[in-house]
Structures are given as structure tokens and as C-alpha cells.
């Protein structure tokens, strides 16, 4: 039977609970345990798919087309497993399932109530992912202890301990220890209150993870241990890290995984566990080995060593909330690690692009990413940026909407299709080079949401000899999608005659998946969202190619930016891609 670790948060939201859960997952996986992670979100939307990115940050798309919380991106990047839509449930989706059962008469005339029906459905979601092949399920509860909406989730996870046995469950509570400038002190009172609140719901935390902006002294840990009734070794300090991939190592130093393994009887819980990997260890699940963190340490070292500056502009419409582009930003950093390059992001508000072309800010970019998005705002700025990159030879990568604006720009300015646009932004465009496919039109006219999007993983065939095929090193690739509109097949020949290469298409040849421009250092776009598949130790090839090309531009054109300690003259002017 799988062991369960529940991660709750207190004091404030945005504490980095997701990163704590993801890091713990990495540590347990490094012990040879089979780990999966799940997020339960107390809001009422069925999923974050309909939420404005300003509200909720990025919508992370899983292989099976789930539109999920951005924490799933952290989970995938840290534990290096592809998760499914089942790894994210919301209050809305839980109520929807319960109400559907009620309508089918499955409750046999009973009064349907929060306890036990909603809580049973929550428990079902948790048990559902605790498959035979799983040793440990980490479940993060979104929101903060004390919220009204969180109560059914706390009740459900409290009950689970009784259902599956005390030795199979533990609770990790993440809180904030603020520093008060005037008195020069770190304060534990918010943590005490938060633990009291959790206890009032029947949950005594086994471990407390303290988030803080500076190290926590041992005396403070002793105090929290005493007042919150957890052993001192279970009070874990988690100080802000300069690089988020350092967090697993820091938590390991603090003994988090060792303690939890001991509590859950996963191996000896120490360096030199009993090493059983045959699944026959006592209690069912595999026994953890001593953690092998050498690979992760090497990755963190590589990230620390990444020092060659490379300036990449992110031309977006949600740039005021960087979380809206979380996976894109991470994928760029991963690309940087591969080259020893430190990617400096220039957040460019798409609506301001025209002005920035005049004042030189765009010219100073080494590379550009035009990310995904919905709605007309900012699109003209993105089109202008794509054109600037094309004409000035600036490496440019378009993602989903990014590909669409590149096609619009090329149609208008290179293929003579004046006024070309996407039907999403101009229903009466003279040349709708981006449009809904015929079979989608009717569905979209009936409903604005759900059902109509191309979601999840789709294959693409890459043209032999194309830049895309060279970048991927393969002619058949699989990427995750989240969009309604496509390159309009009616204009494909016209665009190709003008020099655009549609270097990736769906296996049936109907849909354009990738574009590129020959003779340019790198001007490529994909209809997919490759950022979701990038891993810190395995950068996605497209992001790696962009950083490589941007580095070529940085070192060739702006040597004054290069750190003399690390600059190697023979690397200058390398044109990659
Ligand atoms: N708005 C565009 C579409 O629906 C692009 C979507 C995206 O970038 N994810 O096709």
C-alpha cells in the first residue's frame, strides 16, 4: 500500500508549498522510491483553464490534455515524471462529480452532504492515484489553513490517516517565519497560530517547514518544537534559495526526507537504508535506499556555473505577473544551463513594442520569445516584434500564439497579404491566415469554453533536412497543445512561395505544427507549448536552440557585456542553428 504525505500551508499564500512538495518528491525519488504528486485546489472553477492568467498564473497542460495548476509544472520538472489530469482536482470538479452521482440516483435517497459525500469524493481522488506502482503519494492542499474552502479537504485528509493506517500517513505543514526589521527579530507566533488552526481540524503536523528570508536559529527551532509539539528534528528550515533547484538539497541537509522515511517506515530513513527494491519489504511498498543526489548536485552546480549573460526578451501580454509564463521562463533557464549561460529576461509588454523599437531596447536583445496567449490585446505589438526579429536577424521563438503572430507578420510583410490576421482578432480580416478549422467552427459558435480546444499531446512530422528536424534530432515529435486556432491551409502555399517553411505538420498533413525561415539565425515557431516538457537536466531542444543562437548574437555583437573571467574568444561569433 502506498504511503501518503499531505502538505498544507499556513500564515500566507504563495509560500512555495508547491516547491516544497516537488522537492520532497525529488528527494524520495532519489531514494529509489516511486513517487507521484497531486494538487487539490479549494476553488470552485472546474480547472484553471477558464481563469485569467493574471488571476492564477500559467495553466499547465498535461499529456492527456488536463488544464492544471502551475504547481504541476514544478512537480514534473522536479520528479521528472509526466503527470495526468488526475493529479489536480478542485472543489468544483469534486462537487460536479458528487452532483452527477446524485442525479444518477447513486446515493439511494440519502441526503447528500459535505461530510461524508464531498469528503468521500476527495478521498477517492487521493486513493485513485495511489496505484499499485506507487510507493509514496504526495498531496498538496492549495490555499491556506483557516480558509473556509479548505475545510472539506482537511477533514478528508484527516480521515485518511484512520482509513489507511497511522504508519502510512504523515502531515507536513509549511509556514512563514517573518522578520521584523525594527526589532530585528524573526517571529514564530504566526506559525503557532497556524498549527493551532490545523489542530482544531484534528490534524497534528508531523513536520513543520519554516519558510523565511534568512536562516532560522536553532533556538527558534527549539521554541517551535516545544510550542507546536513536533520533535526538533522535524522542524525544517527552508530559506529563500537563489535558485529553486537548490531547494531539494537544502531540505535534505535539514534532514526532511530522512525523518519522513523513518516516520513512514520507508527503509531505515537514514543514509544507508536497507536498500530493498524488490517490493517485498515489510509493509508492502519498496524500501528506500540512501538518497543518490549526485545527479541533482551536478545540475545545481551547472546552474551556478551558468554565467555568460544572454538577454532574452519575453514579448508577452501578461508580463506584470511573471507566473503567467512560469514554464517558459524555466525552459529558458534550462536552455541556459546547457551553454553555461545566464539568461537575463527582459519582460517586454507587447503593447509597448512599437515605442521600444525606436528607443533601441529591442535591438539590444540577443533573442526573443513570443509566448502563448488569448485575445487581441497586445497582438499588434507581438506582430511588430516578430517582424523586427525577422528583419534584424534576432533569434526568435514563437510558442502557440507566437507562431500565429509570426505567420501573420510574414503574410503581411513578406507574402503581400496586406491586412492578414487571425480570425480570433479580426472576424472580417481580408486574409484570415489563422482560423478555426471547419469542423471546429460550429462547436465554437455554441460555446466559448471547454470542448473546443486542441488540448494535450499531438504528434508532428518534421520535414527531413529542416532546421526543426536538426534541432529536435528527430522527424517525429510529440508536444502538448492548448489552442483553438490553426494556420489556415488555404494560405499555406502562398506563404511557402514567399519563403516560409512549414517544417512540421500533423501526420495527416492537415495542420501546420512548426514554421521556420531559412537564412535567418533562428526564426522558428511551434503551434505547441514545448515549455511544458523542458526539464532542468534535459532542456527542451527548441529552448536550447534559442539560447544557443542568442548567445551567438551576444558574443558576436556585444562583447562589452561578456564577463572577462568566463569569456572565451573562440566562442565569439558562433552562430548556432
Ligand atoms: N489564442 C490562440 C488560439 O486559441 C493561441 C492560444 C495559445 O497561445 N495557447 O489558438
Amino acid at each position: 500500500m502506498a504511503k501518503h504525505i499531505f502538505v498544507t500551508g499556513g500564515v500566507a499564500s504563495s509560500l512555495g508549498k508547491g516547491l516544497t512538495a516537488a522537492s520532497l518528491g525529488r528527494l524520495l525519488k532519489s531514494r529509489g522510491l516511486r513517487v507521484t504528486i497531486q494538487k487539490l485546489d479549494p476553488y470552485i472553477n472546474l480547472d484553471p483553464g477558464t481563469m485569467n492568467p493574471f488571476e492564477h498564473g500559467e495553466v499547465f497542460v498535461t499529456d492527456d490534455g488536463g488544464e492544471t495548476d502551475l504547481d504541476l509544472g514544478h512537480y514534473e520538472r522536479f520528479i521528472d515524471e509526466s503527470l495526468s489530469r488526475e493529479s489536480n482536482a478542485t472543489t468544483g470538479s469534486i462537487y460536479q462529480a458528487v452532483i452527477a452521482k446524485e442525479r444518477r440516483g447513486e446515493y439511494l435517497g440519502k441526503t447528500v452532504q459535505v461530510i461524508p459525500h464531498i469528503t468521500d469524493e476527495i478521498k477517492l481522488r487521493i486513493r485513485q492515484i495511489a496505484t499499485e506502482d506507487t510507493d509514496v503519494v504526495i498531496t498538496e492542499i492549495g490555499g491556506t489553513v483557516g480558509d473556509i474552502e479548505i475545510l472539506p479537504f482537511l477533514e478528508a485528509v484527516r480521515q485518511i490517516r484512520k482509513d489507511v493506517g497511522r504508519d502510512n500517513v504523515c502531515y507536513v505543514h509549511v509556514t512563514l517565519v517573518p522578520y521584523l526589521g525594527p526589532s530585528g527579530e524573526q517571529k514564530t507566533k504566526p506559525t503557532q497560530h497556524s498549527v493551532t488552526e490545523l489542530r482544531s481540524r484534528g490534524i497534528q503536523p508531523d513536520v513543520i517547514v519554516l519558510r523565511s528570508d534568512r536562516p532560522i536559529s536553532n533556538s527558534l527551532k527549539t521554541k517551535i518544537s516545544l510550542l507546536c509539539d513536533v520533535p526538533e528534528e522535524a522542524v525544517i528550515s527552508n530559506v529563500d534559495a537563489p535558485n529553486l533547484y537548490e531547494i531539494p538539497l537544502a531540505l535534505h541537509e535539514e534532514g526532511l526526507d530522512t525523518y519522513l522515511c523513518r516516520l513512514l517506515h520507508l527503509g531505515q530513513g537514514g543514509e544507508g537504508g536497507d536498500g530493498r527494491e524488490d517490493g517485498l519489504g515489510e509493509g508492502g511498498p519498496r524500501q528506500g535506499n540512501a538518497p543518490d543526489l549526485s545527479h541533482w548536485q551536478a545540475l545545481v552546480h551547472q546552474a551556478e556555473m551558468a554565467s555568460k549573460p544572454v538577454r532574452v526578451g519575453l514579448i508577452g501580454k501578461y508580463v506584470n505577473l511573471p507566473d503567467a509564463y512560469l514554464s517558459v521562463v524555466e525552459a529558458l533557464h534550462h536552455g541556459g544551463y546547457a551553454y553555461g549561460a545566464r539568461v537575463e529576461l527582459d519582460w517586454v509588454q507587447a503593447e509597448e513594442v512599437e515605442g521600444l523599437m525606436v528607443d533601441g531596447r529591442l535591438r539590444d536583445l540577443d533573442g526573443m520569445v513570443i509566448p502563448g496567449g488569448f485575445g487581441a490585446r497586445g497582438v499588434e505589438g507581438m506582430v511588430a516584434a516578430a517582424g523586427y526579429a525577422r528583419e534584424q536577424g534576432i533569434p526568435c521563438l514563437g510558442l502557440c500564439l507566437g507562431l500565429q503572430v509570426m505567420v501573420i507578420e510574414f503574410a503581411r510583410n513578406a507574402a503581400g497579404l496586406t491586412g492578414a490576421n487571425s480570425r480570433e482578432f479580426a472576424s472580417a480580416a481580408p486574409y484570415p491566415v489563422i482560423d478555426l478549422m471547419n469542423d471546429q467552427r460550429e462547436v465554437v459558435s455554441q460555446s466559448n469554453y471547454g470542448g473546443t480546444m486542441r488540448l494535450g499531446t499531438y504528434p508532428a512530422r518534421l520535414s527531413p533536412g529542416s532546421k526543426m528536424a536538426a534541432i529536435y534530432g528527430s522527424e517525429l515529435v510529440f508536444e502538448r497543445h492548448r489552442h483553438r486556432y490553426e494556420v489556415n491551409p488555404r494560405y499555406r502555399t502562398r506563404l511557402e512561395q514567399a519563403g516560409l517553411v512549414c517544417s512540421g505538420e500533423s501526420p495527416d498533413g492537415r495542420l501546420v505544427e512548426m514554421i521556420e525561415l531559412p537564412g535567418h539565425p533562428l526564426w522558428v515557431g511551434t503551434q505547441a507549448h514545448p515549455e511544458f516538457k523542458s526539464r532542468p537536466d534535459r532542456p527542451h531542444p527548441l529552448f536550447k536552440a534559442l539560447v544557443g543562437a542568442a548567445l551567438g548574437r551576444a558574443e558576436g555583437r556585444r562583447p562589452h557585456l561578456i564577463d572577462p573571467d568566463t569569456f572565451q574568444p573562440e566562442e565569439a561569433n558562433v552562430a548556432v542553428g
Side-chain angles (χ1 to χ4, degrees):
M1 190 202 287
K3 307 278 183 175
H4 290 271
I5 299 174
F6 294 103
V7 180
T8 54
V11 183
S13 56
S14 308
L15 270 184
K17 256 189 317 194
L19 282 167
T20 304
S23 301
L24 180 56
R26 164 45 50 193
L27 291 175
L28 298 176
K29 215 184 150 187
S30 304
R31 289 171 175 264
L33 296 164
R34 297 162 302 175
V35 180
T36 194
I37 317 193
Q38 176 182 47
K39 172 104 191 259
L40 301 178
D41 276 310
Y43 54 73
I44 295 174
N45 306 59
L46 288 184
D47 60 42
T50 56
M51 278 190 233
N52 185 324
F54 284 125
E55 286 281 316
H56 194 264
E58 160 184 288
V59 173
F60 187 82
V61 181
T62 52
D63 278 329
D64 61 350
E67 296 180 274
T68 70
D69 187 78
L70 53 73
D71 275 328
L72 270 79
H74 288 314
Y75 303 164
E76 286 205 358
R77 288 185 283 272
F78 277 71
I79 67 168
D80 196 10
E81 304 272 346
S82 288
L83 302 171
S84 74
R85 58 169 74 241
E86 242 112 71
S87 290
N88 194 193
T90 68
T91 293
S93 71
I94 285 155
Y95 270 79
Q96 191 186 46
V98 169
I99 291 169
K101 279 186 198 162
E102 186 270 336
R103 290 290 88 186
R104 290 196 300 269
E106 287 181 29
Y107 294 112
L108 306 174
K110 289 259 183 246
T111 307
V112 181
Q113 295 181 298
V114 173
I115 302 173
H117 302 105
I118 295 296
T119 45
D120 279 354
E121 181 65 28
I122 296 171
K123 291 199 282 182
L124 187 73
R125 302 295 176 100
I126 296 167
R127 276 203 294 263
Q128 198 165 281
I129 66 160
T131 57
E132 294 265 289
D133 311 331
T134 311
D135 298 317
V136 186
V137 179
I138 300 173
T139 302
E140 179 193 348
I141 319 268
T144 308
V145 166
D147 296 345
I148 288 178
E149 302 92 334
I150 207 173
L151 295 179
F153 293 92
L154 294 181
E155 173 60 14
V157 307
R158 182 192 70 75
Q159 291 179 10
I160 280 197
R161 184 171 231 176
K162 198 168 152 294
D163 297 349
V164 303
R166 299 210 157 249
D167 289 349
N168 297 323
V169 172
C170 67
Y171 303 101
V172 175
H173 191 52
V174 184
T175 73
L176 176 72
V177 177
Y179 174 80
L180 294 189
S183 60
E185 279 180 298
Q186 287 179 302
K187 294 308 222 179
T188 64
K189 192 70 81 186
T191 298
Q192 295 175 45
H193 281 300
S194 170
V195 169
T196 303
E197 176 68 35
L198 193 59
R199 281 203 201 122
S200 75
R201 302 294 154 202
I203 298 174
Q204 162 65 34
D206 297 295
V207 171
I208 298 179
V209 175
L210 304 172
R211 293 278 299 108
S212 60
D213 63 350
R214 62 203 68 211
I216 303 240
S217 66
N218 281 340
S219 62
L220 220 62
K221 282 187 174 181
T222 309
K223 186 172 171 189
I224 289 173
S225 157
L226 186 69
L227 298 172
C228 300
D229 198 20
V230 292
E232 224 167 298
E233 58 177 325
V235 181
I236 306 290
S237 157
N238 182 7
V239 185
D240 294 348
N243 178 324
L244 47 91
Y245 299 110
E246 287 174 22
I247 299 172
L249 302 180
L251 292 176
H252 176 66
E253 280 291 301
E254 286 282 307
L256 174 66
D257 50 318
T258 308
Y259 184 76
L260 283 173
C261 284
R262 203 163 71 228
L263 217 59
L264 291 171
H265 306 290
L266 289 164
Q268 302 301 306
E271 317 289 323
D274 71 1
R276 286 200 78 133
E277 274 202 69
D278 53 9
L280 300 173
E282 231 181 306
R286 291 187 194 194
Q287 301 293 287
N289 297 313
D292 177 5
L293 290 167
S294 53
H295 182 71
W296 202 261
Q297 277 155 345
L299 160 74
V300 169
H301 180 72
Q302 196 187 21
E304 277 165 3
M305 290 291 108
S307 56
K308 283 181 267 181
V310 59
R311 175 170 284 270
V312 176
L314 204 136
I315 322 291
K317 42 194 296 185
Y318 317 112
V319 294
N320 299 336
L321 182 76
D323 264 3
Y325 299 113
L326 188 60
S327 293
V328 174
V329 172
E330 286 310 309
L332 281 168
H333 289 310
H334 304 163
Y337 301 159
Y339 285 101
R342 190 181 72 245
V343 174
E344 291 170 357
L345 277 163
D346 191 356
W347 297 91
V348 178
Q349 181 60 255
E351 285 141 300
E352 292 166 11
V353 161
E354 272 100 344
L356 302 177
M357 286 190 320
V358 181
D359 80 3
R361 186 162 143 202
L362 285 203
R363 190 191 52 229
D364 285 346
L365 295 176
D366 303 317
M368 269 186 211
V369 172
I370 308 180
F374 293 82
R377 185 178 62 81
V379 163
E380 284 306 313
M382 293 183 188
V383 171
Y388 190 80
R390 186 170 62 81
E391 278 162 9
Q392 304 293 319
I394 301 176
C396 178
L397 170 63
L399 307 169
C400 202
L401 175 64
L403 170 138
Q404 298 175 359
V405 301
M406 288 166 104
V407 168
I408 293 168
E409 191 283 324
F410 191 85
R412 288 181 191 171
N413 302 320
L417 300 172
T418 310
N421 213 329
S422 163
R423 197 87 80 174
E424 180 181 2
F425 318 124
S427 52
Y431 304 108
V433 290
I434 307 293
D435 203 348
L436 296 171
M437 298 300 277
N438 282 335
D439 41 3
Q440 277 177 305
R441 241 179 237 131
E442 205 177 321
V443 200
V444 169
S445 65
Q446 288 163 9
S447 136
N448 250 340
Y449 291 117
T452 61
M453 274 219 247
R454 185 143 79 101
L455 278 169
T457 294
Y458 285 86
R461 281 199 190 288
L462 307 185
S463 316
S466 64
K467 202 174 273 189
M468 277 295 186
I471 288 171
Y472 273 94
S474 169
E475 284 168 15
L476 178 65
V477 299
F478 296 83
E479 294 288 5
R480 301 181 193 175
H481 288 247
R482 179 172 182 252
H483 59 105
R484 290 194 181 84
Y485 291 82
E486 306 281 354
V487 174
N488 188 338
R490 273 175 41 215
Y491 295 97
R492 184 167 162 180
T493 312
R494 177 82 180 257
L495 294 166
E496 285 174 336
Q497 279 165 353
L500 189 74
V501 173
C502 298
S503 48
E505 56 182 29
S506 56
D508 64 5
R510 277 175 77 226
L511 305 172
V512 173
E513 291 279 3
M514 316 247 176
I515 58 157
E516 64 187 60
L517 195 64
H520 189 285
L522 192 79
W523 199 80
V524 297
T526 163
Q527 190 55 77
H529 287 279
E531 64 270 24
F532 296 137
K533 287 180 75 172
S534 188
R535 303 281 202 251
D537 52 346
R538 248 180 303 115
H540 189 283
L542 280 175
F543 287 87
K544 192 171 157 192
L546 178 78
V547 174
L551 207 54
R553 179 175 163 89
E555 292 176 344
R557 294 233 193 137
R558 296 192 297 124
H560 61 282
L561 267 186
I562 290 176
D563 179 356
D565 292 331
T566 54
F567 179 58
Q568 288 158 354
E570 65 276 16
E571 286 177 2
N573 293 313
V574 238
V576 181

